[in-house]
Amino acid sequence: MLVTRPRSDSVKTVAILLALLTAASAAAAPPRQPTSPDDALCRIQFKSAVAGRPAADIAAPCWRIGPIALGMREAAVEQRIGRPVATTDRSTTMPGPHRVFHATLHAFSAMPDAPVQNGRARLRLTKLLYDDGTLVAIDTAPGARIDGFACPVGATSSATANNVEIDARTGPLLRFATVEAGDPLASLGRVFGKPPLGNRSRDWFTYLPVPIGVAVDPDRAAILGFTIATDDQALTSAALPIVHLQRDAACSLIAIQFALR
């Protein structure tokens, strides 16, 4: 029987093709970033605080979401995530010392060129609170009021009525303590050790007195975003984002303006 060996250049070609296919497969489904030693330490400290130890025992670098952390100055925050789309000052109404928070609203678009394309917008809103210029609360899924003039009779459809998504999975502020927006609510147990307390509508959960809140889609039991703060007063301080929709004569969405109240 005659056995022929492939030419060396053919072997090289096959090897190169296999390498390219392997790289393409890895790029198509990038793995989640591995847990760093700092993440592991933070997870232990958060779990201990939820179990009853003082929240003050949690290391300051653990109180971070994406590239920003509580305690940063406002200018440093803007260097990392950009300038806000709206600002306001809000006085506290809860019991405790009177404080005036400076609230800012950031909007991260899933659209590469403009926030509104083809009459639709996919955004992630984030509300930040500052006390004397220092970041004291991060809310990555704040409730918002969407305003826009009524469409003419017969022009309204499901496409025009639901063309703005304000909690899209986009932007740099999606991950807190190894849990990500989009993860199931049950995944909180592996980080914090016990389930959080939920409100009546089951769309907001909290670990108070540890100042951590979680916004949830109750229909899917999926995490929408997180709120972390230096204390419960900052965690629950209200500043409502307003999303003003601008439409053309055919009622198609053309632009968005933002405000805080």
Side-chain angles (χ1 to χ4, degrees), residues 125 144-148 161 163-166 241-245 247:
L125 300 182
R145 189 179 80 209
I146 300 178
D147 288 345
N163 56 359
V164 179
E165 181 184 353
I166 61 171
I242 312 295
V243 180
H244 294 288
L245 308 183
R247 302 181 185 274

Side-chain angles (χ1 to χ4, degrees), residues 48-223:
S48 297
V50 168
R53 291 187 60 85
D57 290 349
I58 300 172
C62 295
W63 292 103
R64 66 181 183 273
I65 297 180
I68 63 174
L70 299 180
M72 291 179 66
R73 301 295 292 177
E74 188 169 359
V77 171
E78 291 187 9
Q79 285 179 347
R80 297 194 179 189
I81 66 171
R83 296 180 60 83
V85 293
T87 65
T88 191
D89 291 331
R90 299 289 294 180
S91 296
T92 57
T93 57
M94 288 182 57
H98 177 264
R99 297 156 75 185
V100 177
F101 292 123
H102 177 57
T104 66
L105 181 67
H106 293 258
F108 304 101
S109 175
M111 307 294 190
D113 298 317
V116 178
Q117 292 184 19
N118 299 320
R120 300 188 66 84
R122 297 181 61 243
L123 309 164
R124 172 161 291 269
L125 300 182
T126 293
K127 183 183 68 178
L128 307 180
L129 292 184
Y130 297 89
D131 189 348
D132 195 24
T134 298
L135 183 62
V136 295
I138 305 170
D139 183 352
T140 68
R145 189 179 80 209
I146 300 178
D147 288 345
F149 67 80
C151 296
V153 176
T156 302
S157 67
S158 59
T160 45
N162 303 306
N163 56 359
V164 179
E165 181 184 353
I166 61 171
D167 51 19
R169 196 176 180 279
T170 189
L173 305 176
L174 297 174
R175 193 167 189 254
F176 169 62
T178 73
V179 185
E180 293 188 6
D183 285 352
L185 178 63
S187 66
L188 294 174
R190 66 179 173 83
V191 175
F192 301 109
K194 70 176 184 180
L197 298 174
N199 61 2
R200 181 175 298 179
S201 58
R202 313 299 288 176
D203 60 359
W204 197 75
F205 292 75
T206 178
Y207 279 102
L208 284 171
V210 183
I212 299 171
V214 185
V216 173
D217 178 346
D219 295 328
R220 298 185 297 117
I223 296 170

Side-chain angles (χ1 to χ4, degrees), residues 4-60:
T4 60
R5 294 176 178 268
R7 293 173 52 190
S8 60
D9 55 348
S10 298
V11 174
K12 291 179 181 178
T13 301
V14 171
I16 291 171
L17 288 173
L18 287 174
L20 290 173
L21 287 172
T22 302
S25 176
R32 180 174 293 189
Q33 291 295 322
T35 301
S36 70
D38 289 344
D39 286 334
L41 176 62
C42 291
R43 186 167 54 197
I44 292 171
Q45 294 185 353
F46 279 123
K47 186 175 293 187
S48 297
V50 168
R53 291 187 60 85
D57 290 349
I58 300 172

